[in-house]
Each structure stands twice: as C-alpha cells, then as structure tokens.
Amino acid sequence: MTGYLTTHVLDTATGNPAAGLKIALYKLTGDAREKLAELVTNADGRTDGPILPAEKFKTGTYELVFFAGDYLRASGQAGDDPLFLDEVPIRFGMSDASAHYHVPLLLSPYGYSTYRGS
C-alpha cells in the first residue's frame, strides 16, 4: 500500500461543505517551495480525488494553501477589506510512506482549525 493525501473544507459559519474553494499543494525542501497541485473543492467540500495520489506520494514537508478569501467573498461572508483571513497556509509533515494523510480545514470568516483526520 502506498500513501496518499486528501483534504476537505467545512464552512463552520454556515454548517455546509465549502464548495468552490481553491487549494494549492506545495512540497517544501529547505528554502525551496514547489507547487505540485492546484484543485477546487466540489459540492461536498472535497477534491474529486486525492490531492496527492499514491503514484506521486513521497514523505516530506508539505504546505496546503486554502484560498479562503476568494471563497468568503463568493459566499457573501467576506466583510470589509482587508479580510481577516485570506490565504490560509497549513504546513505539515508526512513521514509514513504507506499512510493515508487527511488534512481538513474547518473555516469561518474569523477563524479556522485543522487536524489530522482519517
């Protein structure tokens, strides 16, 4: 079995999945930052497939950037500029080459949280 990475976004202000939210994935090596993927969440707040599928999975340090500001503007929750939350970066490590890593985002206009899901 080979590892892979998934994510999803829940809008905790509305209690709904965050559909249409852009997400970018970067691989970090020292000071280098390489963009590996850019996807948009579907109606269930998930990407249509793994954000990092098994055939591309490697252990290391990664960063997911959630473009929360664009989503909040589109959903009418943005408030005044500048937004409190715009781009939300989550930096994390994946050390088990055979594991499923799931990094979700719980989002509202003024706060967010994440955890290692299953």
Side-chain angles (χ1 to χ4, degrees), residues 11-26:
D11 182 332
T12 58
T14 65
N16 294 306
L21 193 145
K22 184 172 77 171
I23 304 166
L25 174 68
Y26 296 88

Side-chain angles (χ1 to χ4, degrees), residues 26-42:
Y26 296 88
K27 172 93 166 82
L28 306 174
T29 308
D31 290 336
R33 185 175 186 239
E34 176 189 5
K35 185 187 247 185
L36 300 180
E38 187 172 288
L39 299 109
V40 176
T41 58
N42 59 25

Side-chain angles (χ1 to χ4, degrees), residues 8-99:
H8 75 275
V9 185
L10 298 175
D11 182 332
T12 58
T14 65
N16 294 306
L21 193 145
K22 184 172 77 171
I23 304 166
L25 174 68
Y26 296 88
K27 172 93 166 82
L28 306 174
T29 308
D31 290 336
R33 185 175 186 239
E34 176 189 5
K35 185 187 247 185
L36 300 180
E38 187 172 288
L39 299 109
V40 176
T41 58
N42 59 25
D44 195 33
R46 299 175 184 274
T47 57
D48 288 332
I51 197 159
L52 187 60
E55 62 272 10
K56 294 182 179 180
F57 186 90
K58 291 183 180 165
T59 59
T61 303
Y62 290 83
E63 184 176 74
L64 284 168
V65 178
F66 297 86
F67 292 83
D70 295 342
Y71 167 79
L72 293 168
R73 285 182 188 94
S75 66
Q77 301 180 70
D80 297 330
D81 279 326
L83 299 183
F84 182 70
L85 293 175
D86 194 356
E87 292 181 11
V88 175
I90 298 174
R91 189 169 288 184
F92 57 97
M94 298 189 294
S95 59
D96 183 347
S98 65

Side-chain angles (χ1 to χ4, degrees), residues 97-118:
S98 65
H100 171 201
Y101 286 85
H102 184 68
V103 182
L105 180 71
L106 305 177
L107 175 67
S108 77
Y110 298 100
Y112 68 91
S113 66
T114 190
Y115 55 94
R116 180 169 175 193
S118 58

